[in-house]
Amino acid sequence: MMAVPFTDLAAMTGEVWPSIQTEYLDCLLSGKYIGGPAVTSFEHEWAAYCGADYAVGVANGTDALELSLTALGIGPGDEVVVPANTFIATAAAVVRAGAIPRFADVSDDTLLITPATLSEVITPRTRAVIVVHLFGHLQDMTGLLAVAADAGIYVIEDAAQAHGAEWDGRRAGSLGDAACFSFYPGKNLGAFGDAGAVVTSRPELADRIRTLANHGREGGVLHYEHAYVGTNSRLDALQAILLSGKLAFLDAWTQRRIALATRYRELLEGTGLRLTSVPPPASHVYHLFVVRVAGRDQVRAGLARRGIQAGVHYPVPCHWQPPLRQFADHPLPVAEQAAGELLSLPMFPHMTEDQVEYVCEALNDVLADSSAEPELIDAQ
Ligand SMILES: Cc1ncc(COP(=O)(O)O)c(C=O)c1O
């Protein structure tokens, strides 16, 4: 039996480590761990990669979202639209900023928010929408930006899963007022722990976020002078060194993810599993390779018996999580249905074609196995 892990972070570290080890150890021995040239240089590289003017390194993707909202002046009494199909951090950041999350349903084909589902939940109190490029995929940004512009609301990209993904040739991070990235270890660009960044082309917003993330120190120069009550959410130098090192590999790793996804798509055709569609002009970076299947939990267990680790993103729709139920004021049928069917298959740059083939054979076996009794979903 072949073992197929869900991901393999150590393989990425092994590839990048030779190119960073001297700088990493020098920094470790220098005793200078907060801020400094490694952080500044990664911020410049990351902004340039995303096609934006500024990047501000922060402690994680959740802080990136909360800081962006606060820096845009969003707080008590304001509403922020978030898709119902997302990780809890998207909506939690809105609550932590003091505002109200308004959940929007998602497309049955892409599982992402659409101009129509966004329009449905905009009210006079709406100040922003957080567009989540879930799984590594941007959809109809042209339409979403137009709806937001008409309504006079900010667009914040939650690009935690979409490093390098594009809409019509523009990278995630270059489309909204601000874009929030997570560099959690398992992300396409991942640190040796928690890390994140806000990317924007608005200088005043970048300054404000940098100040808020550094205990309200304006300009970050005077250590004990604080213009605002901020927080402590900074990117560490050691993480920045690793992220710069990994950035040199990111495009190759993304191409590998795309090749593996193409192979999955070929092999899964005709199995009855439902795949998300990627209509142009989007390019998907396959942070996750997600299929939909009824009887998902049995299918996942069948894969586990065959040595394959699959994930579920996410088993409970965001608005059904206990602390967020108070904001769930209308049914969100697509997200609610999908949550019971989503299955994330193994996907990582160092995965082999043999492993993809083994996963697909195993899936066929499990689906044929009467003990699993999955009720297949028709692809539309
Ligand atoms: C869509 C999405 N938004 C936000 C976050 C939060 O990022 P972090 O874990 O770095 O706080 C994540 C990370 O899991 C995510 O996947």
Side-chain angles (χ1 to χ4, degrees):
M1 190 168 74
M2 188 187 280
V4 187
F6 185 64
T7 187
D8 184 354
L9 304 184
M12 285 189 247
T13 302
E15 206 176 335
V16 73
W17 181 247
S19 64
I20 61 158
Q21 60 177 330
T22 306
E23 196 187 347
Y24 198 89
L25 290 174
D26 284 353
C27 178
L28 201 57
L29 298 174
S30 77
K32 294 178 183 154
Y33 306 132
I34 306 279
V39 172
T40 307
S41 126
F42 173 68
E43 287 175 339
H44 286 138
E45 290 161 17
W46 188 240
Y49 183 83
C50 295
D53 291 343
Y54 309 96
V56 181
V58 296
N60 54 67
T62 310
D63 283 1
L65 289 162
E66 184 183 334
L67 287 162
S68 298
L69 290 160
T70 304
L72 285 167
I74 294 169
D78 297 330
E79 291 180 1
V80 178
V81 178
V82 298
N85 182 35
T86 185
F87 180 55
I88 191 169
T90 316
V94 176
V95 177
R96 291 187 56 80
I100 300 162
R102 289 271 302 166
F103 290 99
D105 211 353
V106 292
S107 149
D108 201 32
D109 288 327
T110 63
L111 299 171
L112 305 178
I113 192 169
T114 70
T117 62
L118 166 60
S119 298
E120 271 165 25
V121 294
I122 289 178
T123 74
R125 294 205 292 170
T126 308
R127 298 279 317 281
V129 54
I130 303 182
V131 176
V132 185
H133 308 318
L134 203 67
F135 309 143
H137 183 197
L138 280 71
Q139 254 317 299
D140 203 351
M141 287 306 296
T142 313
L144 289 165
L145 290 169
V147 170
D150 275 358
I153 63 174
Y154 295 117
V155 174
I156 299 172
E157 296 175 72
D158 180 341
Q161 302 190 1
H163 310 76
E166 291 180 4
W167 173 255
D168 205 8
R170 292 176 65 187
R171 283 217 168 116
S174 67
L175 293 130
D177 293 281
C180 302
F181 288 90
S182 165
F183 304 122
Y184 176 78
K187 300 300 194 225
N188 287 22
L189 183 65
F192 282 162
D194 283 310
V198 181
V199 167
T200 179
S201 289
R202 296 180 45 177
E204 79 295 349
L205 195 57
D207 284 350
R208 180 106 163 124
I209 289 167
R210 196 179 291 289
T211 298
L212 288 173
N214 189 18
H215 293 296
R217 292 182 181 111
E218 218 158 20
V221 276
L222 299 170
H223 203 67
Y224 292 116
E225 289 195 9
H226 308 274
Y228 305 97
V229 172
T231 186
N232 177 3
S233 182
R234 298 172 300 217
L235 178 65
D236 295 332
L238 288 169
Q239 303 295 7
I241 291 167
L242 173 67
L243 291 167
S244 284
K246 275 192 169 179
L247 186 50
F249 292 83
L250 182 62
D251 284 342
W253 288 343
T254 300
Q255 286 315 313
R256 183 70 193 144
R257 287 177 186 272
I258 292 170
L260 295 166
T262 306
R263 189 72 185 125
Y264 264 133
R265 285 182 183 273
E266 284 162 9
L267 293 171
L268 293 177
E269 212 174 292
T271 55
L273 289 175
R274 187 154 173 207
L275 308 182
T276 57
S277 47
V278 190
S283 78
H284 198 316
V285 294
Y286 291 103
H287 172 58
L288 296 171
F289 188 86
V290 173
V291 299
R292 284 170 73 179
V293 61
R296 185 264 319 282
D297 294 335
Q298 297 98 301
V299 174
R300 188 183 188 197
L303 291 179
R305 281 195 297 277
R306 288 160 178 80
I308 298 164
Q309 272 180 353
V312 176
H313 302 88
Y314 297 92
V316 178
C318 207
H319 60 290
W320 283 358
Q321 295 288 353
L324 298 175
R325 272 185 183 270
Q326 59 183 303
F327 305 108
D329 52 7
H330 61 289
L332 298 153
V334 179
E336 288 162 12
Q337 165 87 19
E341 302 167 349
L342 298 170
L343 184 67
S344 306
L345 301 181
M347 168 57 76
F348 51 96
H350 297 82
M351 190 175 183
T352 64
E353 286 225 358
D354 284 354
Q355 286 177 314
V356 174
E357 281 160 24
Y358 178 69
V359 172
C360 294
E361 278 161 26
L363 262 173
N364 273 316
D365 261 18
V366 173
L367 294 172
D369 182 350
S370 56
S371 64
E373 288 176 1
E375 166 204 329
L376 298 185
I377 301 165
D378 289 334
Q380 286 176 348

